[in-house]
Amino acid sequence: MLSSNRSQAMGVAIQTVSPAELYQVILGASSQDFPQVQASGQRLKQMLEMFGSYDALQEIAARRTEPLSIRQQAMIQFKNVVVHHWRSRKLLSDEHRIRIRQRCLSFVDEEDETIADCNEIVVSRLARTDYPHSWPSLITNLVEIIDSTLQKRYVLMQEDPHDTLRLRRSLKLLNAILKEFASIKLPNGIKVMAQIVGQLHLLLYGYYSKMSVTFSTVTPQNIASQIFHDNVLLAHLVFKCLVKMAVWLWNKIDRLSKEQHQENQTWLEEMFQSSVAQVKALSGMRNTIVLSVLQNNSMGNEQTRRTISVFTRHLRLFGKFFRRMQQLSPERFVSLTSSGDLIMFYWSQVVEATNHPQDFVADSDEAVYPVRFLVQGIVLFKESLSQWTATKRNGMPNKNTLSQEFVENAVRLLITRFMPLNPSDLENWMADPEEWVNLEDKENDQWEYEIRACAERLLMQLCNQYSEFVVPLLSATFKEIAFRSSVDLAAVIQKEALYCAIGRCALRLKDQIDFDEWLKHSLVAEAQDTNPNYPIIKRRIAWVIGKWVSDECTSPNNPKIWEILVHLLQDRGPGTDTVVRLTAAAAFRECVDAVTFNANVFAPFLATTVTQLILLMSEADTLESKRKVDESLNAVIEQSGELILPFMSVIIEPVPRLWVTADTDFLFKASLLVTVTKLVEAVKANSSSLGGLVVPLIRESLSPAVIIQLDVDGLNLWSSALRNTMTIASVNGAPALQDIFPQAVAMLSTNLDLLGSITRIVESYILLDAPHILTVHAMDLFSAFLTTLTSKIVDINAKELIQALNLLVQLSPSRLWGEPMHTSGLFCHLLKTLIAGESDTILLTEHIYLFSRIIMSDRQMFLQLMSASAPILNISEEKLYETLLDQWWGKFDNMSEPRHRKLTAMGIAALVSTARPEVLRRLHGEIFNLWLDVFGELKEAEDQAAIRDDNESAPASPTSLIRYWELDKPPDAYYRETEGTPEYDRRHAVYESDPIRVTQLLTFVGAQLREAESICGPGNFQVYLSYTDPAVLKQLQDALARG
């Protein structure tokens, strides 16, 4: 029930929420009765639009006497809405905001984590808008809570669980606020963050210094103490706040004033120095404790595990701090005092870990050497290697460089301990091969977080920076191990790691290792070995072949490469598995995409490759694996070109089944669309028979339910199908491309986001069969053009639309386009746009080219169109012609291409032949000047061409008319990127038969003048000529006589 209505500005009545009803709705939403939950959810959605609802929700969440489920529901709903509508006057008053802010801090002693976490989000988001102006006491209030509880705990030594909770919640709130302000890029936010940092950095630094002293009291005996756990956790939370401020200062320090810069730089260096000392102490302390706990078998104690976990997270926080500083400014990080010492400490931990049993290293907070800690060390070491180069950037020798022994030991350590597959890797491989392959691919992108991938990147860095040490070592190790038979699992795993190193460092090793010899004398045999451990080696063989070829370290045109990859792809006997086949499929993609790939060398292996890739795609369980195999198939199709033709039916047969299987996996569906597109492009004119597959795929990919996900790939297939087919009619009764033309028309007028692609599709239809298109769809097509041209579209799209109409007029008789162009209103709109002259100049010139085409095609039709447009535009015919001619002459100087200027000259000549008085009255001035300009350009160009011909032969003309004025070929834009397709030939044929290329201008103009004279009579015609300047008239007559 509503308690009242609240009048708002502008006379809109806003309902005020009833707290009692809101409580009942929250109660219903928290129940186990689904119909009640559904009804309550719908009502809650309505009530959240009422005045006071947010305040009431938070008030319910704050009542500790209410059942926890109701409080959680209220707090979650409050969090979801208040941060987005905090400034709404319709939903909140200033009094509400004050109460909400006050209540936010009442949750600092909240015991429920869900409610506390939601409050944390709310406080940080509201602080972003309200602090310090509307919520000036926020930071001060939090600091007061933190300070008072810290005093009790660390000075008065009073241990109170309630105070611990308040301290933990307050520190998390402060951390969230700092995180929010640190992300602000605008000046006001930066200013506020600077104030907060100035207020808190020394205070929190002092807190941490006192709190971290308690770490030294830890022993294996008291590690299970709740007090010690809380001490570490609270210090960790304080240090998180310190890290936020220090990183922000580190990034923004160059923007501070000189005094602030010096002051904060000193503090940052002090913070860094103390952190370096602290991470060393914490690491040693933690190792001692964990080793002792493991020896005493005490890790089973829950409190012990919790304490070690928070201690480990605290240790990793230092690594995150150092890494972030390094990322933001590598140069400044390296220059910090103790930076080199820090990096070498982390590396020493990596080395030390290899001196212990392998199970001491694990991705667990409870391991002696947690993987994530070691990864931090490897990343920091890798990204700091530049400070130990033999030569500094200024060319001076570097005293602090790494010795050969150090580098070689580092390489051996990486290859023998961190790059080999571990038992966990092998277990995951066996448990879910496809997922394992997918995760391996992702590790390449997430290398900073996985120890094996990180070790590989460090090896590459060492090889690049210290190639004089690393290359001989790897080369010698390769010659020692690569050709030696490996049988047992340990030897196989070690050889796999070496092969990985050879692949990663291929660019440096290509002159040291004879890859062809390796293929011939080792890899061929290993690829065929049936040893049950050999899938490990075979998978790496496929990978290393793909790596060497893609890095251009070896040629893909060695038949041995294809023999090995085809065998690995098709082998299903002992000694292989799914991982090997999936990796081989990926290697095919790498190899066929190589710049030097020769399809003829690959041809003998093409049939097996295509068949096996399709089989593997069908066998794969996950859609992600199917998609990756399909991407390899796509590459094979594209690079094989017309050699793929015999396998066309093999490729298309499974596509419908795979499409249905994909369901809502649009990435896989997009890949299938690419497959068919690549096939169409490869077989070119032979794709005409693929309508049974292509047309349904286009229809479905552009259906309303999926067009957002598949529009680009669907349109690409449509465009490729049209460009490569020879007909839009049905072939053998299959669905035809002409059947989906109505969809193109509909999209032309409604989908402005894809307008460029759709316009080119319509152009392709016009080039294929313009008469049929107009016979069936003229009205709909012209109406769609009109709708689009009257919409807010960019000029480049409008230009392409006019060019499509230009093509349509060229390729079809006027009886098919004349009447519908008028009836649809399109011609009237085009005429109105041109005579208004307010559009972009280039667009207006395109209109003139189109009108020239119309007049040249059928001048009587043009006269009828003009006559019919006059009453619609409410302008007399005489005025229409006058304004049209004004634009024709006015835009002539903006036409730069000779073919366009000739087209315009021929268009005006055709208009002259109608003997319209408005046109003939302009003969003596604008029209004669326009013609003489073009005559002069052609003559000038002819003279220049004659000079050129003295030195070189002119290109042969495709027609009997020698056109010295034109380019050797039309602009690239004319062909619309159709090179190599049948549409290119169609466009070329249109270009070659264009009247502006096959008709001599002088002859054409003379004929049009004679026709005008015959219509109006010699006497009248002489009257029009009498106004001409005698010199101009003689110049014109001389030119026409030459023609």
Side-chain angles (χ1 to χ4, degrees):
M1 179 178 176
L2 301 178
S3 59
S4 64
N5 287 339
R6 181 173 184 268
S7 295
Q8 291 286 304
M10 306 300 292
V12 179
I14 303 299
Q15 295 177 330
T16 300
V17 75
S18 165
E21 184 189 1
L22 182 62
Y23 177 83
Q24 291 301 319
V25 170
I26 292 295
L27 182 64
S30 307
S31 75
Q32 302 299 314
D33 182 14
F34 180 73
Q36 186 178 2
V37 170
Q38 198 171 30
S40 297
Q42 292 174 351
R43 179 56 180 157
L44 179 60
K45 187 176 180 180
Q46 296 170 349
M47 296 190 75
L48 291 177
E49 296 294 322
M50 297 180 187
F51 181 72
S53 58
Y54 299 169
D55 179 50
L57 274 175
Q58 192 198 32
E59 198 273 331
I60 294 171
R63 294 204 296 259
R64 307 295 171 91
T65 57
E66 298 293 344
L68 181 59
S69 61
I70 294 176
R71 297 182 60 225
Q72 287 178 335
Q73 182 69 244
M75 193 61 177
I76 291 170
Q77 296 296 336
F78 172 70
K79 180 265 296 182
N80 289 344
V81 294
V82 73
V83 296
H84 301 295
H85 302 93
W86 180 240
R87 294 183 178 179
S88 171
R89 294 184 179 182
K90 183 180 79 171
L91 302 172
L92 289 157
S93 67
D94 289 341
E95 293 77 14
H96 289 148
R97 294 186 183 89
I98 292 171
R99 287 202 296 270
I100 288 172
R101 293 189 199 105
Q102 291 171 343
R103 271 193 221 105
C104 282
L105 293 186
S106 71
F107 288 100
V108 293
D109 57 356
E110 174 58 53
E111 294 183 0
D112 182 67
E113 294 297 330
T114 299
I115 294 175
D117 289 345
C118 289
N119 185 61
E120 193 178 305
I121 294 171
V122 170
V123 171
S124 63
R125 298 290 178 82
L126 300 191
R128 184 178 182 124
T129 59
D130 286 9
Y131 183 82
H133 302 294
S134 302
W135 202 354
S137 62
L138 173 60
I139 301 296
T140 303
N141 290 341
L142 284 176
V143 170
E144 288 172 354
I145 296 171
I146 293 168
D147 193 65
S148 62
T149 49
L150 282 176
Q151 290 294 324
K152 289 182 184 179
R153 185 179 185 90
Y154 293 99
V155 177
L156 302 178
M157 307 303 290
Q158 297 176 0
E159 173 60 30
D160 183 346
H162 182 261
D163 283 342
T164 302
L165 178 64
R166 296 182 75 230
L167 185 54
R168 180 159 60 92
R169 298 284 189 232
S170 301
L171 287 169
K172 291 186 75 175
L173 281 175
L174 183 59
N175 181 62
I177 293 168
L178 289 169
K179 182 178 180 180
E180 191 70 31
F181 276 101
S183 68
I184 298 177
K185 301 293 189 293
L186 297 176
N188 287 339
I190 293 174
K191 183 178 179 181
V192 173
M193 183 62 179
Q195 294 171 353
I196 296 174
V197 171
Q199 178 184 351
L200 296 180
H201 73 281
L202 292 177
L203 179 67
L204 293 182
Y205 186 67
Y207 287 161
Y208 183 77
S209 299
K210 294 175 183 177
M211 297 167 77
S212 59
V213 172
T214 61
F215 295 172
S216 60
T217 63
V218 67
T219 65
Q221 290 72 38
N222 67 9
I223 188 68
S225 162
Q226 178 67 40
I227 294 176
F228 183 74
H229 169 274
D230 291 343
N231 283 343
V232 176
L233 176 60
L234 294 171
H236 177 67
L237 293 174
V238 170
F239 195 70
K240 284 184 76 172
C241 296
L242 271 174
V243 167
K244 295 280 190 314
M245 293 187 288
V247 167
W248 185 86
L249 270 179
W250 177 257
N251 192 35
K252 296 289 194 297
I253 197 164
D254 290 336
R255 303 183 188 179
L256 302 178
S257 65
K258 188 175 181 179
E259 292 181 3
Q260 289 177 319
H261 183 283
Q262 183 58 46
E263 177 185 341
N264 287 295
Q265 181 65 32
T266 302
W267 179 76
L268 280 171
E269 290 178 359
E270 183 182 348
M271 169 88 173
F272 179 76
Q273 296 289 341
S274 63
S275 297
V276 171
Q278 182 74 340
V279 77
K280 292 180 181 179
L282 287 176
S283 178
M285 195 184 306
R286 183 192 172 282
N287 279 14
T288 302
I289 293 170
V290 174
L291 282 169
S292 177
V293 168
L294 289 174
Q295 290 169 0
N296 297 330
N297 294 320
S298 304
M299 197 61 81
N301 183 287
E302 177 64 24
Q303 185 58 55
T304 298
R305 290 202 304 272
R306 289 179 62 238
T307 303
I308 290 176
S309 177
V310 72
F311 207 112
T312 305
R313 284 189 285 121
H314 187 51
L315 180 63
R316 283 207 309 271
L317 179 58
F318 284 85
K320 291 179 180 178
F321 172 45
F322 299 138
R323 176 60 181 142
R324 190 65 186 134
M325 292 179 72
Q326 185 186 56
Q327 285 177 318
L328 291 171
S329 182
E331 297 82 6
R332 284 193 291 141
F333 180 79
V334 167
S335 67
L336 287 169
T337 306
S338 300
S339 171
D341 184 36
L342 170 72
I343 302 303
M344 284 304 169
F345 162 74
Y346 268 104
W347 184 249
S348 72
Q349 295 298 295
V350 174
V351 175
E352 189 177 307
T354 64
N355 297 325
H356 290 83
Q358 198 160 0
D359 59 358
F360 274 35
V361 178
D363 190 11
S364 166
D365 288 344
E366 299 150 22
V368 179
Y369 294 97
V371 163
R372 298 182 193 183
F373 173 69
L374 295 180
V375 167
Q376 287 181 333
I378 294 174
V379 173
L380 286 167
F381 180 65
K382 173 187 176 295
E383 297 300 307
S384 296
L385 275 176
S386 59
Q387 68 177 302
W388 293 301
T389 53
T391 306
K392 293 182 179 180
R393 288 186 177 181
N394 59 10
M396 299 294 290
N398 188 356
K399 296 179 181 178
N400 300 317
T401 186
L402 300 181
S403 67
Q404 180 175 351
E405 181 184 8
F406 182 96
V407 173
E408 290 181 347
N409 287 337
V411 170
R412 291 191 186 97
L413 180 149
L414 292 171
I415 295 176
T416 58
R417 283 303 301 270
F418 295 116
M419 287 171 58
L421 298 169
N422 58 44
S424 176
D425 290 322
L426 297 178
E427 288 173 13
N428 292 333
W429 178 327
M430 297 302 294
D432 192 342
E434 292 184 27
E435 181 62 18
W436 192 85
V437 172
N438 292 333
L439 288 175
E440 281 292 293
D441 290 341
K442 290 173 183 174
E443 275 188 10
N444 291 328
D445 300 324
Q446 303 287 324
W447 66 268
E448 285 195 47
Y449 308 102
E450 300 290 340
I451 196 162
R452 188 155 47 86
C454 189
E456 292 172 15
R457 296 320 188 279
L458 175 55
L459 174 66
M460 293 166 64
Q461 187 81 359
L462 286 167
C463 189
N464 289 334
Q465 196 161 316
Y466 299 96
S467 57
E468 69 273 20
F469 303 148
V470 178
V471 169
L473 175 62
L474 287 178
S475 180
T477 307
F478 169 79
K479 291 170 183 174
E480 177 186 348
I481 296 176
F483 297 94
R484 184 194 307 165
S485 177
S486 302
V487 179
D488 62 281
L489 181 61
V492 167
I493 287 175
Q494 194 57 63
K495 178 177 274 192
E496 187 272 347
L498 174 64
Y499 284 9
C500 177
I502 301 304
R504 289 294 180 194
C505 302
L507 290 169
R508 297 286 179 178
L509 292 169
K510 62 181 180 180
D511 296 326
Q512 302 296 318
I513 293 176
D514 189 330
F515 193 82
D516 291 341
E517 286 296 306
W518 186 23
L519 281 171
K520 182 178 178 181
H521 296 295
S522 179
L523 297 187
V524 170
E526 289 177 338
Q528 297 175 352
D529 200 306
T530 57
N531 185 325
N533 294 324
Y534 261 51
I536 295 171
I537 288 287
K538 292 179 181 180
R539 171 245 172 191
R540 187 56 77 181
I541 288 173
W543 176 87
V544 82
I545 288 174
K547 195 76 175 66
W548 271 65
V549 171
S550 63
D551 285 349
E552 299 182 14
C553 298
T554 191
S555 169
N557 302 317
N558 182 342
K560 289 293 181 186
I561 286 178
W562 303 118
E563 286 178 20
I564 292 174
L565 290 181
V566 166
H567 175 76
L568 295 177
L569 183 65
Q570 70 177 351
D571 184 21
R572 283 167 175 75
T576 189
D577 65 5
T578 301
V579 170
V580 174
R581 290 189 285 275
L582 290 172
T583 309
F588 269 102
R589 182 174 65 250
E590 300 283 356
C591 292
V592 300
D593 274 339
V595 175
T596 56
F597 171 77
N598 186 331
N600 293 321
V601 174
F602 178 61
F605 308 94
L606 182 57
T608 307
T609 302
V610 169
T611 304
Q612 292 300 319
L613 285 174
I614 290 173
L615 177 60
L616 183 59
M617 203 184 336
S618 300
E619 290 177 342
D621 293 326
T622 66
L623 291 173
E624 185 172 6
S625 296
K626 290 179 186 290
R627 176 172 57 82
K628 289 182 178 179
V629 176
D630 191 37
E631 288 172 354
S632 295
L633 177 61
N634 296 343
V636 169
I637 294 170
E638 181 177 16
Q639 296 297 90
S640 299
E642 292 187 350
L643 292 174
I644 206 73
L645 181 59
F647 316 107
M648 189 164 66
S649 59
V650 176
I651 294 169
I652 65 172
E653 188 273 329
V655 171
R657 184 182 69 255
L658 292 169
W659 182 271
V660 173
T661 302
D663 194 24
T664 57
D665 188 316
F666 296 113
L667 287 176
F668 184 39
K669 283 191 169 182
S671 183
L672 290 172
L673 289 171
V674 173
T675 301
V676 181
T677 303
K678 296 298 182 187
L679 182 61
V680 166
E681 292 171 349
V683 301
K684 302 187 187 307
N686 293 288
S687 66
S688 301
S689 62
L690 294 177
L693 176 64
V694 169
V695 171
L697 282 179
I698 293 171
R699 274 189 174 133
E700 190 154 344
S701 62
L702 298 176
S703 62
V706 301
I707 189 171
I708 293 177
Q709 288 84 8
L710 299 175
D711 53 1
V712 173
D713 295 293
L715 288 174
N716 284 342
L717 173 57
W718 199 351
S719 178
S720 293
L722 288 165
R723 289 179 171 187
N724 288 280
T725 190
M726 302 305 292
T727 177
I728 59 174
S730 176
V731 176
N732 299 324
L737 288 167
Q738 67 186 16
D739 299 341
I740 52 175
F741 184 73
Q743 190 168 356
V745 173
M747 293 180 71
L748 185 68
S749 60
T750 58
N751 199 325
L752 300 184
D753 292 334
L754 302 171
L755 184 56
S757 299
I758 299 164
T759 303
R760 296 190 178 195
I761 284 172
V762 171
E763 273 193 2
S764 294
Y765 273 105
I766 292 169
L767 284 159
L768 278 158
D769 197 344
H772 172 81
I773 293 299
L774 287 178
T775 300
V776 182
H777 306 286
M779 271 300 297
D780 291 337
L781 179 60
F782 289 143
S783 296
F785 270 101
L786 176 62
T787 301
T788 306
L789 287 169
T790 53
S791 304
K792 293 182 179 178
I793 59 174
V794 295
D795 290 333
I796 184 64
N797 285 337
K799 175 183 174 182
E800 290 191 353
L801 286 169
I802 303 301
Q803 289 172 344
L805 287 170
N806 198 315
L807 206 55
L808 192 64
V809 170
Q810 273 185 269
L811 295 174
S812 56
S814 60
R815 59 183 173 76
L816 294 178
W817 50 256
E819 183 178 349
M821 192 177 281
H822 166 68
T823 308
S824 65
L826 178 60
F827 182 85
C828 195
H829 170 76
L830 295 170
L831 181 59
K832 181 180 177 182
T833 301
L834 179 57
I835 64 177
E838 296 175 355
S839 298
D840 178 75
T841 299
I842 294 177
L843 182 58
L844 292 176
T845 60
E846 291 292 339
H847 280 69
I848 294 171
Y849 305 151
L850 174 59
F851 282 132
S852 295
R853 292 286 183 194
I854 293 173
I855 300 166
M856 290 167 62
S857 174
D858 187 337
R859 61 206 70 183
Q860 290 305 315
M861 180 64 73
F862 180 78
L863 294 178
Q864 290 178 42
L865 287 169
M866 289 288 286
S867 178
S869 299
I872 297 174
L873 294 175
N874 197 25
I875 302 175
S876 67
E877 277 192 61
E878 181 179 358
K879 183 65 174 176
L880 272 184
Y881 281 100
E882 291 290 348
T883 50
L884 174 63
L885 291 167
D886 286 342
Q887 290 297 328
W888 209 300
W889 171 249
K891 297 296 180 288
F892 179 68
D893 285 341
N894 299 110
M895 302 172 189
S896 56
E897 287 190 42
R899 67 190 184 104
H900 286 153
R901 290 169 73 83
K902 181 177 178 181
L903 172 62
T904 305
M906 292 178 72
I908 201 72
L911 189 57
V912 166
S913 73
T914 64
R916 288 282 309 189
E918 302 87 357
V919 180
L920 295 181
R921 282 199 293 268
R922 299 200 181 207
L923 261 181
H924 69 280
E926 299 164 2
I927 295 176
F928 282 173
N929 287 333
L930 186 153
W931 285 340
L932 288 172
D933 278 352
V934 179
F935 294 164
E937 290 159 10
L938 300 185
K939 181 174 182 294
E940 179 184 352
E942 184 177 355
D943 291 342
Q944 292 173 355
I947 295 171
R948 184 189 66 190
D949 289 347
D950 291 339
N951 302 314
E952 56 181 287
S953 61
S957 174
T959 70
S960 59
L961 177 65
I962 300 175
R963 298 165 305 280
Y964 295 106
W965 48 268
E966 73 173 351
L967 303 172
D968 291 339
K969 60 181 181 179
D972 291 339
Y974 171 79
Y975 285 110
R976 302 279 197 247
E977 301 174 347
T978 59
E979 289 77 3
T981 69
E983 181 169 314
Y984 181 91
D985 298 332
R986 289 190 283 271
R987 287 183 177 273
H988 188 67
V990 172
Y991 181 76
E992 290 296 309
S993 60
D994 192 335
I996 66 173
R997 303 189 76 249
V998 299
T999 304
Q1000 188 176 17
L1001 179 60
L1002 291 169
T1003 304
F1004 182 82
V1005 170
Q1008 307 311 304
L1009 283 171
R1010 287 191 292 275
E1011 186 169 346
E1013 183 178 17
S1014 68
I1015 292 173
C1016 71
N1020 291 331
F1021 192 70
Q1022 287 302 318
V1023 172
Y1024 290 116
L1025 293 181
S1026 65
Y1027 299 105
T1028 310
D1029 182 281
V1032 171
L1033 186 60
K1034 184 177 188 309
Q1035 189 178 356
L1036 182 69
Q1037 289 170 338
D1038 291 345
L1040 292 174
R1042 288 199 307 273

